[in-house]
Amino acid sequence: MAALILCVRPFEVFLATQGSDLTLRERAFVAWVGPRGIVAAAIASIVAGTLEYEDIPGGVELRALVFLTIACTVVLAGLSAGPVGRWLGVRLPGREGVAILSANALSLALANALRDKGRTVVFLDSNPQQIRVAEEAGHQVIFGNALQERIMQRARFESIDTIVALTGNDTLNGVFSRRARELFGVPTSLIAGSQTTGGVGSEMIARGAAKMIFDGPHDVERWDVRSRRGDVEIVELEFQGSPAEEQPSEPSASSASERYVFLAIEQGDRLKPMSSQDVPAAGDRAIVALHLPDRSEALESLADQDWHLIESNEPETEHSP
């Protein structure tokens, strides 16, 4: 059994993975962790039975060796897989990724900001044109029906901390959020707000199962049109006021005129998608999309809420391809 675990299996694994994309550390981990199971037991029983039927000795010993190997490899893998994976540096990272449903102008701007701060972002979309734009921008993309479990598995939802549902379909946003939570335990759901109520997404926000993305409900399609025209600028602002007990009313009021959208907020050293429930503190920074024709009015309104432009980022603009 020691020869099987320490010699035969490592030799087989390194031979079989030669020329693959696996690193040496990953190959070593596969070689070490190899619990046996029902297939080995079934095949060994068939072979042992055949040996006994043909009056060839060794069937009993073979069956005993296989079941002993099953027991020992399961125990060994269960006890050592975690420490060995950590030692080799091949363990999956904790939940830190962001999965975004729909590659539109606002979601692309949000993804660019998150990526610049080291966050992992993956897009899910069934629209080939939108998914191509996200891919050309250098983002990881998964094409297909985002409600299917296999599509979520391809996006590695086990490492996703936050999902952002940014389609114009309130029901689709809500169902996507619910499936991400039920199937993969994704802890945070942010859904595009709607001016109407009664959809699955709106109901989830109302009962606290999800949060509204950005500073309030926004017309995502309108911002797509603005971005195609080159009328969108991405700026960075700093909050220089005192923490408020509740969200100011102005961001919600701005939704009607759509002069700006709070995309993300940086609190401490971590940037995250902005939600309508986030309360800023002095020194917090935010990534904001401005409508260029309303730029002056938007900045004045933001300054009244103690959000001030960081001048070094003022020239930066964002255009949709």
Side-chain angles (χ1 to χ4, degrees):
M1 186 180 60
L4 288 174
I5 296 174
L6 301 177
C7 300
V8 176
R9 178 172 171 79
F11 174 76
E12 291 178 342
V13 168
F14 276 92
L15 183 64
T17 57
Q18 187 175 7
S20 70
D21 294 332
L22 296 176
T23 66
L24 183 61
R25 291 175 178 269
E26 291 169 339
R27 295 168 72 190
F29 182 74
V30 175
W32 175 251
V33 181
R36 305 292 86 192
I38 187 64
V39 175
I43 298 300
S45 297
I46 293 173
V47 174
T50 303
L51 292 175
E52 293 172 359
Y53 179 79
E54 298 292 341
D55 293 328
I56 300 175
V60 175
E61 290 81 358
L62 175 62
R63 187 183 288 111
L65 174 62
V66 171
F67 278 93
L68 182 61
T69 302
I70 292 172
C72 291
T73 54
V74 168
V75 172
L76 183 64
L79 294 177
S80 65
V84 171
R86 189 181 305 109
W87 178 63
L88 291 173
V90 296
R91 293 195 66 178
L92 286 173
R95 288 186 179 273
E96 59 180 13
V98 178
I100 302 178
L101 177 63
S102 183
N104 51 54
L106 291 181
S107 62
L108 283 169
L110 171 62
N112 292 337
L114 293 172
R115 181 181 59 187
D116 291 344
K117 292 294 184 178
R119 299 292 300 273
T120 301
V121 181
V122 58
F123 278 96
L124 299 94
D125 205 320
S126 58
N127 184 314
Q129 182 177 359
Q130 288 186 337
I131 210 71
R132 184 171 63 251
V133 171
E135 188 174 22
E136 290 175 352
H139 294 289
Q140 180 185 354
V141 299
I142 303 295
F143 176 75
N145 184 353
L147 300 183
Q148 295 181 352
E149 183 175 357
R150 64 181 182 87
I151 297 297
M152 293 181 173
Q153 289 174 339
R154 287 176 56 195
R156 300 181 69 174
F157 263 50
E158 67 277 0
S159 64
I160 295 298
D161 171 73
T162 303
I163 66 103
V164 177
L166 265 177
T167 75
N169 187 322
D170 185 70
T171 298
L172 176 59
N173 292 338
V175 173
F176 175 70
S177 172
R178 186 169 59 195
R179 288 185 63 81
R181 181 185 298 270
E182 292 175 351
L183 295 176
F184 297 93
V186 177
T188 304
S189 297
L190 302 175
I191 300 177
S194 174
Q195 299 289 2
T196 61
T197 59
V200 177
S202 300
E203 291 177 358
M204 293 184 67
I205 293 175
R207 69 171 186 265
K211 299 178 182 178
M212 185 182 296
I213 186 65
F214 307 141
D215 51 296
H218 287 279
D219 190 336
V220 175
E221 294 181 357
R222 182 187 296 184
W223 283 92
D224 267 341
V225 174
R226 290 174 172 179
S227 183
R228 287 194 294 269
R229 292 175 177 172
D231 288 340
V232 177
E233 179 185 6
I234 306 301
V235 299
E236 187 172 1
L237 306 175
E238 182 175 344
F239 186 72
Q240 299 177 2
S242 302
E245 294 183 359
E246 57 183 23
Q247 282 294 98
S249 58
E250 179 62 25
S252 297
S254 74
S255 303
S257 59
E258 298 286 359
R259 289 174 296 182
Y260 57 84
V261 180
F262 277 85
L263 300 174
I265 184 170
E266 184 176 12
Q267 297 178 310
D269 58 353
R270 181 176 176 82
L271 184 74
K272 65 177 184 178
M274 182 79 167
S275 83
S276 60
Q277 297 181 15
D278 286 323
V279 178
D284 288 352
R285 294 191 174 192
I287 306 298
V288 179
L290 300 179
H291 184 217
L292 280 177
D294 298 322
R295 187 179 190 277
S296 298
E297 294 84 352
L299 290 177
E300 290 178 4
S301 175
L302 290 164
D304 291 339
Q305 302 168 59
D306 294 317
W307 285 101
H308 298 277
L309 186 68
I310 299 176
E311 295 297 334
S312 59
N313 284 10
E314 185 173 355
E316 184 177 338
T317 59
E318 181 79 12
H319 299 285
S320 176

